Amino acid sequence: MSGILNSSIGRKFAMALSALFLMVFLLQHFSINILSVLAPDTFNDVSHFMGTFWVIQYLLQPVLILGVIFHFVMGFVLEIKNNKARTISYAKNNGAANSSWMSRNMIWSGLAILGFMLLHFYDFWVPEINIKFIEGDMSGLIDPNNADSGYRYLEHLQHKFVDGWRVALYVISFVFLALHLLHGFNSAFQSIGANNKYTKGLVGFSKVYAIGIPLGFIFIALYHFFNH
Amino acid sequence: MDLKLKIWRQKNANDKGKMVDYPISNVSPDMSFLEMLDVLNNELIEKGESPVSFDHDCREGICGSCSLYINGEAHGPDRLITSCQLHMRTFKDGETIVIEPWRAKAFPVIKDLVVDRSAFDRIQHAGGFISVNTSGNTIDANTIPIEKADADDAFMAATCIGCGACVASCKNSSAMLFVGAKVSQFALLPQGQVEATDRVLNMVKQMDEEGFGNCTNTGACEVECPKGISLENIARMNREYLSASFKG
Ligand code: HEM
Ligand code: SF4
Ligand code: FES
């Protein structure tokens, strides 16, 4: 067991575990976001719960942040190591003949997601932390001094999707997310050694997930853009 | 057929090397790729130039030595064949054909198109074997009943000829298809169980030390492998490795 991260297979295993964790998180994130379209009041209630329940705030959120950091740092480590394994490149290489564009460009789709996450943290996480822990307002209300003002979460979200440029950036990022997942979903299962009689079924499901979830996020972003 | 060849020329391991153009005419479409290179070499020798060095032995897809990266693909554009099994009719008259050696840090070029694949041998030495009594009391392998599906998968894995096309095709120069096949051929059989834990740990360790990259599961190796070794062998190796690591 010692030093498993020092071996190629160990690193890939850890990479896959962090990726599987992120994919579960993404599903949960989507489930809550879609409520902002389907049931806005429930969206506010759930957001308040997520933002104030200590298990989520102080346990799951740090785990998630560490998971994301681990994933992209390991992504960089693998990319650097893999580039070092071929010092002279081919004069002519026909990668498209044997592999998908997505599989050969995980680092680029990943970097696009990383760029998006910086914007996304600036949009939502930083203001949240500011209101709750700097200003000390844990009420979740639009006006903390007025209990009837209602929760602020949906309003905040709608404000963010007024700017067309921001919406465009979100949409493009979700396209890269789809590209990342179109290869990544099955790749993660292969990495943990799960290539078996269920793989065929999984390939079908992975397409639904990899296209469906980002498409859903795109729908939510456009919905709020056109309905404010 | 008339062709324009672009071939990697490199005098020795320390030479920088470069691509050199060689026009060639009157190539028969029925020639194999290596026969075409033989014709070119005859012409070069007649002109007093040094012939192009390339590895070859069996010329029938068995030995795995004909390591040529042809037009951007290991063993050329056809599937499930080695370079010696590639025919010139695959190409069009007047076509430009780029011929390069396998490119991987772990496969350094010795001369022209010849690379040093002894890294594969060292991986095999690290664990690609079983201990059997060969002192005259050898037990016939067939006396041990083996499930048909396992026997088939083991045989399939054992068809790997160690050509290195998987490494050459992989964007990461990963050797996992080769090592996956060499681990699988024993992991599936009762005879392979005695050394199973050490085998996978030692072979993967050697693979990493040789400087091969990490697998990204692009699947390029499986497509370019002349023997059709499948990615399932890599998944099996990963399982074997992870359970061996937890065993300690
Ligand atoms: C934060 C920015 C991200 C970067 C820089 C990044 C980078 C990478 C890279 C380079 C790989 C390929 C590693 C390899 O096998 O060589 C990868 C794999 C993967 N990523 Fe990401 N990624 C990011 C975010 C995400 C997110 C948000 C998700 C899912 C919600 C995700 C899911 C996956 C999956 C499923 C794999 C396949 C894992 C495997 O092959 O075992 N990634 N990532
Ligand atoms: S796995 Fe296939 S491509 Fe790789 S060395 Fe074996 S036969 Fe060659
Ligand atoms: S020369 Fe033996 S496989 Fe091509």
Side-chain angles (χ1 to χ4, degrees):
Chain A
M1 193 46 217
S2 64
I4 196 166
L5 284 185
N6 290 325
S7 81
S8 52
I9 296 181
R11 278 188 293 266
K12 279 297 304 184
F13 183 63
M15 187 73 188
L17 288 189
S18 70
L20 288 168
F21 170 70
L22 290 180
M23 289 198 296
V24 173
F25 160 73
L26 198 67
L27 194 62
Q28 174 255 324
H29 197 330
F30 174 74
S31 310
I32 295 177
N33 282 20
I34 193 73
L35 289 176
S36 71
V37 173
L38 302 177
D41 289 340
T42 321
F43 173 77
N44 265 331
D45 292 342
V46 175
S47 299
H48 187 64
F49 169 77
M50 296 295 288
T52 48
F53 185 43
W54 68 271
V55 176
I56 295 172
Q57 273 298 296
Y58 303 119
L59 268 163
L60 294 185
Q61 179 164 287
V63 170
L64 174 65
I65 293 177
L66 286 179
V68 173
I69 294 176
F70 177 87
H71 183 79
F72 72 72
V73 169
M74 188 55 107
F76 294 150
V77 169
L78 288 171
E79 179 68 17
I80 291 168
K81 283 189 169 290
N82 292 341
N83 283 338
K84 278 197 192 143
R86 176 167 293 140
T87 37
I88 304 172
S89 39
Y90 289 109
K92 181 170 181 185
N93 187 32
N94 188 1
N98 50 38
S99 54
S100 71
W101 186 91
M102 285 80 85
S103 72
R104 281 176 280 125
N105 292 282
M106 290 299 274
I107 191 67
W108 299 113
S109 52
L111 279 172
I113 301 172
L114 186 59
F116 162 77
M117 286 203 315
L118 293 179
L119 173 67
H120 194 53
F121 263 60
Y122 171 77
D123 279 351
F124 290 95
W125 191 77
V126 174
E128 245 339 86
I129 294 297
N130 186 38
I131 293 173
K132 283 194 303 213
F133 300 111
I134 311 247
E135 294 173 7
D137 169 17
M138 301 295 279
S139 71
L141 297 171
I142 294 174
D143 175 359
N145 301 316
N146 176 4
D148 293 334
S149 60
Y151 283 137
R152 60 183 159 76
Y153 305 100
L154 184 66
E155 197 196 61
H156 182 181
L157 181 145
Q158 285 165 334
H159 272 295
K160 287 295 168 194
F161 290 100
V162 171
D163 177 11
W165 282 108
R166 182 178 261 98
V167 174
L169 274 178
Y170 270 61
V171 170
I172 294 168
S173 305
F174 291 131
V175 172
F176 277 104
L177 178 65
L179 294 173
H180 201 68
L181 294 174
L182 271 171
H183 173 68
F185 191 103
N186 291 302
S187 178
F189 282 89
Q190 167 80 10
S191 293
I192 60 169
N195 186 332
N196 50 34
K197 63 183 171 188
Y198 302 114
T199 304
K200 270 215 179 99
L202 200 68
V203 170
F205 179 74
S206 74
K207 294 235 159 58
V208 175
Y209 180 100
I211 296 174
I213 299 281
L215 208 60
F217 277 116
I218 290 177
F219 166 73
I220 296 168
L222 292 179
Y223 176 89
H224 290 297
F225 178 66
F226 288 112
N227 287 283
H228 58 259
Chain B
M1 300 169 82
D2 294 341
L3 298 163
K4 294 187 204 78
L5 306 177
K6 284 183 183 295
I7 304 180
W8 181 260
R9 299 304 308 262
Q10 181 174 339
K11 286 195 186 69
N12 54 50
N14 301 320
D15 183 24
K16 256 191 85 201
K18 59 173 192 295
M19 299 299 293
V20 178
D21 292 350
Y22 295 100
I24 182 168
S25 30
N26 297 325
V27 173
S28 154
D30 296 329
M31 279 180 185
S32 80
F33 200 82
L34 301 192
E35 283 167 335
M36 183 276 294
L37 287 180
D38 292 338
V39 171
L40 172 73
N41 276 344
N42 277 342
E43 289 175 8
L44 290 178
I45 291 166
E46 273 165 27
K47 279 195 274 182
E49 294 177 31
S50 98
V52 178
S53 295
F54 61 93
D55 255 337
H56 60 104
D57 187 15
C58 70
R59 298 211 176 198
E60 53 178 346
I62 302 171
C63 71
S65 56
C66 49
S67 50
L68 300 178
Y69 211 74
I70 302 163
N71 271 355
E73 283 185 77
H75 300 137
D78 277 1
R79 296 290 167 247
L80 296 172
I81 56 159
T82 50
S83 307
C84 57
Q85 295 171 298
L86 177 67
H87 286 95
M88 295 317 294
R89 53 179 167 270
T90 315
F91 301 92
K92 286 191 288 288
D93 190 31
E95 195 172 336
T96 301
I97 306 178
V98 182
I99 313 169
E100 297 173 80
W102 285 173
R103 293 285 186 206
K105 197 173 132 245
F107 286 166
V109 172
I110 298 171
K111 187 172 191 238
D112 296 340
L113 302 170
V114 180
V115 297
D116 178 358
R117 278 170 287 185
S118 55
F120 270 12
D121 299 338
R122 290 187 291 274
I123 294 173
Q124 282 288 63
H125 291 171
F129 51 82
I130 55 166
S131 305
V132 267
N133 187 342
T134 52
S135 60
N137 307 321
T138 313
I139 301 164
D140 190 301
N142 292 325
T143 54
I144 308 173
I146 295 167
E147 202 177 323
K148 174 86 166 78
D150 287 342
D152 286 350
D153 286 349
F155 265 115
M156 194 52 218
T159 58
C160 163
I161 52 177
C163 63
C166 41
V167 174
S169 313
C170 175
K171 78 173 183 69
N172 309 329
S173 304
S174 166
M176 292 217 185
L177 195 65
F178 167 75
V179 184
K182 297 301 172 195
V183 165
S184 289
Q185 66 184 5
F186 295 131
L188 287 158
L189 301 176
Q191 291 92 333
Q193 297 315 307
V194 185
E195 294 99 344
T197 305
D198 286 348
R199 173 182 306 115
V200 67
L201 293 176
N202 291 340
M203 289 180 82
V204 170
K205 184 162 170 273
Q206 189 65 37
M207 168 178 87
D208 291 348
E209 278 171 12
E210 296 291 347
F212 294 104
N214 306 265
C215 176
T216 301
N217 306 318
T218 68
C221 53
E222 174 184 64
V223 174
E224 300 291 351
C225 172
K227 299 297 156 186
I229 303 289
S230 99
L231 286 186
E232 282 171 41
N233 292 288
I234 299 184
R236 187 178 296 103
M237 170 177 67
N238 293 354
R239 289 199 293 278
E240 291 280 320
Y241 183 82
L242 292 167
S243 67
S245 302
F246 286 104
K247 269 189 222 157

